[in-house]
Amino acid sequence: MLSIVLVGPGLVGNELLTQLTKNGKQHGIRVIAISNSKRMVLGTDLSDNFTLDSERDLYRIEEHAEKFKPCAFVDCTSNQDIANLYVQWLKKGFSVVTPNKKAFSSDLSLYSKILELTDRTLNPTAPFVRHEATVGAGLPIISTLTNLVKTGDKILKIEGIFSGTLSFIFNTFSDSNLKFSEIVKDAKSKGFTEPDPRDDLNGVDVARKTTILARLSGLKNTTLESFPTENIVPKELRNLNTVEFMERLPEFDEHFENLKLEAKKENKILRYVGVVDVSNQKCSVELKSFDKSHPFGGLKGSDNIIAFYTERFSPQPLIIQGAGAGKEVTAFGIYCDILSIL
């Protein structure tokens, strides 16, 4: 039996509860606490039919969880303050499962401490950390990379399209006559982008995922500041409010059209990619041109794709492709992590 404390019952968290309610019990999984930023509910076995009716107190939740060990805290937020609590939870013997990228891509000291507390060569009964859904939602990217490293393969390079939002934007831009601003507007209206699309277009999300993969590949000192990240938001639009940004984006359609035409002259198409070049000890996040015959060239919709170049998988890389965003597949990735701990 594995007990679950869910922090963050939002879009993904509620979907995870739905999936756990369907067949969690048959795997020996029970949800014993749920908390958002203001409220919480404690119990012995909760379903998706719950009411957050008491004041939130994470210390009380920890006390409650002590009675139901083994227990995993599942953080479905994107909050840095919650990520900072992982060390506290791990020290108390609770495992952690999360799609939250912050703990694995920001402060190096936090990341190092998490590795130390979950190192079973140091402590055979150490708790677990699983974060498959931090890169590629439910795609088996983190687990594949971890298995490659653990089995002694040497990672040479990882290259991927890690943002479903930017995948949709540039796939559509390459395959249609629509203007760039029209595609961004459409993506925003469909809920593909963040409320402010600049939070996708600035590349920070892709940079966080690239950092996570770099650290797992052996570039342990990689930080967001240690490699270039191309912000494709025009400088003139970076300090406006969201409404003004959307209103003025059409002024730069010609700029993006010229980029597309330059690539087209070489029979190439634009893709926004993250690269972990382990051989040369460097990373990058940028808008690049690829031949249409390249695996990235045939990408459709909002799919993610990642290529692992290793000593075993070379010159043809190991490629993983599929839906890299959405509440259902993200919750699936989290659920798989819970099962791996169980």
Side-chain angles (χ1 to χ4, degrees):
M1 177 72 72
L2 181 65
S3 303
I4 297 297
V5 172
L6 175 64
V7 181
L11 194 67
V12 171
N14 273 307
E15 174 60 27
L16 175 63
L17 284 170
T18 298
Q19 293 183 17
L20 289 174
T21 299
K22 286 181 179 178
N23 68 351
K25 287 183 181 179
Q26 73 185 51
H27 296 300
I29 300 169
R30 60 183 175 186
V31 180
I32 54 96
I34 303 170
S35 171
N36 64 15
S37 61
K38 296 180 180 178
R39 303 282 182 178
M40 69 180 185
V41 59
L42 309 177
T44 57
D45 195 357
L46 309 171
S47 71
D48 59 343
N49 296 313
F50 65 90
T51 302
L52 294 166
D53 56 4
S54 57
E55 291 298 321
R56 179 175 184 264
D57 182 344
L58 286 175
Y59 179 73
R60 272 189 61 208
I61 292 178
E62 290 171 18
E63 279 191 329
H64 179 70
E66 285 284 354
K67 307 170 190 174
F68 295 94
K69 283 184 172 178
C71 180
F73 276 65
V74 180
D75 171 22
C76 287
T77 76
S78 59
N79 189 297
Q80 181 69 61
D81 291 336
I82 299 297
N84 291 340
L85 293 173
Y86 295 176
V87 168
Q88 176 178 313
W89 294 339
L90 292 168
K91 283 181 176 179
K92 293 183 177 181
F94 301 123
S95 293
V96 174
V97 177
T98 185
N100 186 347
K101 295 179 279 292
K102 300 294 172 60
F104 312 97
S105 63
S106 51
D107 187 68
L108 270 172
S109 61
L110 173 60
Y111 179 69
S112 298
K113 193 63 179 177
I114 289 171
L115 293 183
E116 177 188 331
L117 291 169
T118 56
D119 188 342
R120 292 207 149 203
T121 64
L122 299 176
N123 177 8
T125 61
F128 299 95
V129 164
R130 294 287 185 270
H131 58 101
E132 183 70 75
T134 56
V135 182
L139 297 179
I141 293 173
I142 299 294
S143 54
T144 298
L145 175 55
T146 301
N147 287 334
L148 288 169
V149 172
K150 281 186 175 180
T151 57
D153 201 354
K154 183 178 180 182
I155 310 299
L156 305 175
K157 185 172 76 169
I158 302 171
E159 192 171 43
I161 297 173
F162 304 127
S163 166
T165 301
L166 294 175
S167 179
F168 172 81
I169 288 173
F170 283 103
N171 292 343
T172 306
F173 190 48
S174 297
D175 296 338
S176 73
N177 293 320
L178 292 172
K179 295 177 180 178
F180 188 81
S181 62
E182 293 173 340
I183 297 168
V184 173
K185 183 179 180 181
D186 180 49
K188 186 176 187 299
S189 69
K190 290 177 177 176
F192 289 173
T193 72
E194 294 294 327
D196 187 330
R198 287 173 294 186
D199 291 335
D200 297 293
L201 298 171
N202 64 16
V204 173
D205 179 65
V206 177
R208 286 194 179 279
K209 295 171 183 176
T210 301
T211 299
I212 291 169
L213 297 177
R215 290 176 177 179
L216 290 173
S217 299
L219 304 182
K220 295 189 181 300
N221 292 324
T222 303
T223 64
L224 292 172
E225 299 78 26
S226 65
F227 59 88
T229 297
E230 183 176 0
N231 183 349
I232 60 174
V233 179
K235 290 181 180 179
E236 297 88 339
L237 306 184
R238 293 177 188 176
N239 295 319
L240 305 177
N241 63 44
T242 305
V243 174
E244 291 171 333
F245 162 71
M246 294 301 297
E247 289 175 346
R248 291 194 56 190
L249 185 58
E251 297 174 20
F252 296 87
D253 282 334
E254 185 177 353
H255 162 71
F256 289 102
E257 190 65 29
N258 288 336
L259 293 176
K260 182 168 81 169
L261 291 175
E262 285 297 317
K264 194 172 184 180
K265 287 178 184 177
E266 300 178 2
N267 200 32
K268 294 183 176 183
I269 51 181
L270 298 172
R271 296 289 186 261
Y272 193 85
V273 299
V275 179
V276 179
D277 187 346
V278 180
S279 298
N280 293 304
Q281 301 281 294
K282 63 181 184 180
C283 302
S284 63
V285 172
E286 59 186 322
L287 188 62
K288 298 177 67 175
S289 298
F290 291 89
D291 291 326
K292 292 184 178 180
S293 60
H294 190 281
F296 292 4
L299 204 62
K300 301 294 181 183
S302 59
D303 274 7
N304 282 189
I305 186 170
I306 185 169
F308 293 98
Y309 295 86
T310 75
E311 284 190 340
R312 293 178 190 150
F313 292 92
S314 187
Q316 296 300 320
L318 167 62
I319 292 178
I320 297 173
Q321 178 179 344
K327 65 178 183 178
E328 292 87 357
V329 292
T330 303
F332 159 75
I334 299 167
Y335 198 162
C336 289
D337 278 347
I338 292 171
L339 290 175
S340 77
I341 290 176
L342 186 63

